[in-house]
Amino acid sequence: MEKILDNFDTLCVDDNLIGIKEKILNNKRLGFKEAEMIMNTRDLNSLGLLAKYKKFSKDGKKIYFVVNRHINPTNICAISCKFCAFGQNKKSPDAYEMSIDHILSLLDEELKEIHIVGGLHPDWKFDKYLEIIREVNNAIPTAHIKAYTAVEIDWFSQISGYKIEEVIVKLMEAGVDALPGGGAEVFAPEVRKKICSPKTTGDSWLSIHKAAHKLGLPSNATILYGHLESKYDVIDHFDKLRSLQDQTNGFFAFIPVLFQPYNTRLKHLKPFPFSYDLKVHALARLYLDNFPHIKAYWITLGEKAAQVTFHYGVSDADGTIISEKIIHDAGAKSEVGHTRDFFVNMIKDSGYVPVERDALYNELKIYE
Ligand code: V47
């Protein structure tokens, strides 16, 4: 594995990265300063090699994927985030609510992970959200359920009067196996205020995940990037996640989510260059040394760019998803879903070994 970095010093044109390489080879943690150097580098290929080295030291050439489906039971939402094109007012002609029968009609035995998130419906009781989980769990007990972001959990606590811990326990009793990473956006309060006030604060998001981990419920974490955040905000976000993971070890994967502007109240923002996506993914792998996986969210990156991130520290390709809506409402150009074969070919085509997993990262099949 050291071979990856054999000719590093000769090929690298950024002296800062040569210093960082020594830390990585010695398994030393990166600090703020090194993270800043990474975000400022112009030698992307060398950065990719460092991230690849770190990824290889964790899981070699394996890239994981899952046969999963996204389900969004309603898009009616009591809050209106500026970056979101999915949430609708109750009176909007585009507002919808799925019946339980509709939700069940979307399921099949092939699924290994069912990802359920949606709007903060102003009229639905917490019981309704629990019923969805129970019904899905009864219908396909062989699939894991990854459901409801910290923002939804915060909302359930407000509408039910239960404490956060009580909400989490009830969700686990109903059949939730893991929490998705959504709702983290950017923890930096000033940016958060501009893109999603009055949503759950960054501190609350962190404390809800901490509570979940303490109760034995694993989760993922995200960052929404490519809007108003600075490089400093990205590093600060990573730093807070790394500290929490040191305490709980409850995160599976970190997922950079690239902002899609169409149909949103931030549509005037100019896109960042592709080099920024690569730096965010590589820095995630190098800085979040205690996270098992960095996930390429191909829905926002697009399939081709996602393939490139496999060479920038990514070890997870998410999954089939089947029907993505939240990001496509905001103009994502990717397909809404893909087949298992698509992932096997996409991962092999990049020189890696596809590994089909379940939601808890148990290996189901290695496609040598
Ligand atoms: O938190 C909403 C994002 C997230 C837009 O845990 C947008 O495995 C880009 O959390 N442009 C939800 N992003 C997605 C999410 C997720 C996705 C895949 C896997 C997992 C996991 C979690 O969607 C929200 C928000 O950051 N989002 N609008 C937009 N216009």
Side-chain angles (χ1 to χ4, degrees):
M1 197 186 62
E2 276 71 17
K3 276 194 179 148
I4 297 173
L5 300 180
D6 266 1
N7 297 318
F8 189 83
D9 295 12
T10 322
L11 297 173
C12 183
V13 294
D14 179 345
D15 288 348
N16 288 331
L17 290 187
I18 293 177
I20 290 172
K21 182 203 79 174
E22 292 307 320
K23 273 201 144 176
I24 290 165
L25 280 176
N26 292 313
N27 228 357
K28 293 237 167 72
R29 220 166 220 197
L30 301 189
F32 242 85
K33 217 173 165 53
E34 286 113 0
E36 245 181 319
M37 290 171 179
I38 286 173
M39 291 307 282
N40 289 331
T41 192
R42 293 193 173 141
D43 189 348
L44 285 174
N45 281 353
S46 297
L47 174 59
L49 286 181
L50 294 179
K52 188 183 268 191
Y53 175 87
K54 194 76 185 172
K55 178 249 175 297
F56 272 42
S57 69
K58 288 185 179 284
D59 36 40
K61 285 194 172 176
K62 289 176 178 173
I63 298 239
Y64 293 82
F65 74 96
V66 62
V67 175
N68 66 350
R69 186 189 241 288
H70 281 199
I71 299 177
N72 312 118
T74 180
N75 63 352
I76 298 176
C77 195
I79 60 171
S80 170
C81 298
K82 279 196 182 156
F83 63 77
C84 182
F86 168 76
Q88 299 291 325
N89 185 289
K90 231 162 81 172
K91 295 197 178 115
S92 156
D94 296 326
Y96 73 85
E97 297 170 359
M98 286 182 184
S99 65
I100 296 283
D101 282 348
H102 183 173
I103 292 172
L104 296 183
S105 75
L106 303 174
L107 304 177
D108 69 69
E109 304 285 343
E110 280 277 287
L111 294 170
K112 296 293 180 297
E113 175 191 281
I114 303 166
H115 171 123
I116 306 175
V117 299
L120 311 178
H121 197 299
D123 304 331
W124 284 10
K125 304 271 185 288
F126 179 37
D127 271 347
K128 170 83 182 182
Y129 289 91
L130 286 172
E131 186 194 359
I132 292 171
I133 302 297
R134 272 189 223 106
E135 294 284 349
V136 169
N137 197 28
N138 283 340
I140 315 281
T142 47
H144 289 122
I145 301 179
K146 174 162 58 93
Y148 303 139
T149 65
V151 175
E152 287 163 291
I153 290 175
D154 193 8
W155 176 254
F156 300 157
S157 168
Q158 291 173 43
I159 59 175
S160 67
Y162 291 123
K163 292 192 192 115
I164 295 291
E165 284 75 7
E166 292 169 329
V167 168
I168 294 170
V169 168
K170 286 184 186 296
L171 289 171
M172 290 170 78
E173 284 167 359
V176 168
D177 297 292
L179 298 184
E185 321 313 0
V186 176
F187 296 140
E190 288 310 308
V191 182
R192 208 175 173 81
K193 209 160 42 179
K194 285 184 191 147
I195 65 168
C196 59
S197 171
K199 190 152 109 171
T200 311
T201 63
D203 284 346
S204 303
W205 189 97
L206 288 160
S207 72
I208 290 166
H209 280 257
K210 184 174 186 174
H213 297 171
K214 289 218 157 131
L215 290 163
L217 187 63
S219 71
N220 289 333
T222 56
I223 184 171
L224 179 69
Y225 73 96
H227 45 89
L228 296 172
E229 84 286 0
S230 67
K231 291 171 194 167
Y232 180 89
D233 298 327
V234 171
I235 302 167
D236 175 65
H237 192 92
F238 288 6
D239 201 60
K240 292 194 159 73
L241 288 173
R242 189 170 75 178
S243 299
L244 179 54
Q245 179 75 331
D246 276 344
Q247 294 170 49
T248 64
N249 202 27
F251 289 115
F252 281 134
F254 175 70
I255 310 143
V257 179
L258 171 63
F259 171 60
Q260 311 290 307
Y262 179 73
N263 254 335
T264 76
R265 283 181 287 146
L266 296 174
K267 58 175 172 288
H268 54 282
L269 296 178
K270 295 232 168 7
F272 286 60
F274 182 46
S275 55
Y276 185 64
D277 300 87
L278 297 178
K279 286 178 189 178
V280 169
H281 284 78
L283 178 63
R285 179 60 291 159
L286 294 170
Y287 201 87
L288 298 173
D289 51 6
N290 52 5
F291 271 63
H293 297 286
I294 306 300
K295 189 188 272 194
Y297 195 31
W298 60 269
I299 291 278
T300 58
L301 287 167
E303 293 84 344
K304 288 180 185 170
Q307 243 184 339
V308 178
T309 65
F310 297 167
H311 297 280
Y312 284 77
V314 159
S315 57
D316 190 285
D318 200 283
T320 51
I321 295 181
I322 302 180
S323 181
E324 201 288 328
K325 180 158 172 55
I326 297 179
I327 316 286
H328 281 81
D329 281 354
K333 299 281 192 303
S334 55
E335 298 292 329
V336 294
H338 278 294
T339 60
R340 172 191 276 121
D341 283 352
F342 174 88
F343 284 96
V344 172
N345 292 331
M346 177 208 204
I347 294 167
K348 279 192 172 169
D349 186 44
S350 318
Y352 288 92
V353 177
V355 180
E356 194 174 329
R357 62 165 176 88
D358 65 17
L360 308 181
Y361 286 84
N362 297 304
E363 294 185 1
L364 303 179
K365 183 168 178 184
I366 302 180
Y367 295 81
E368 294 287 5

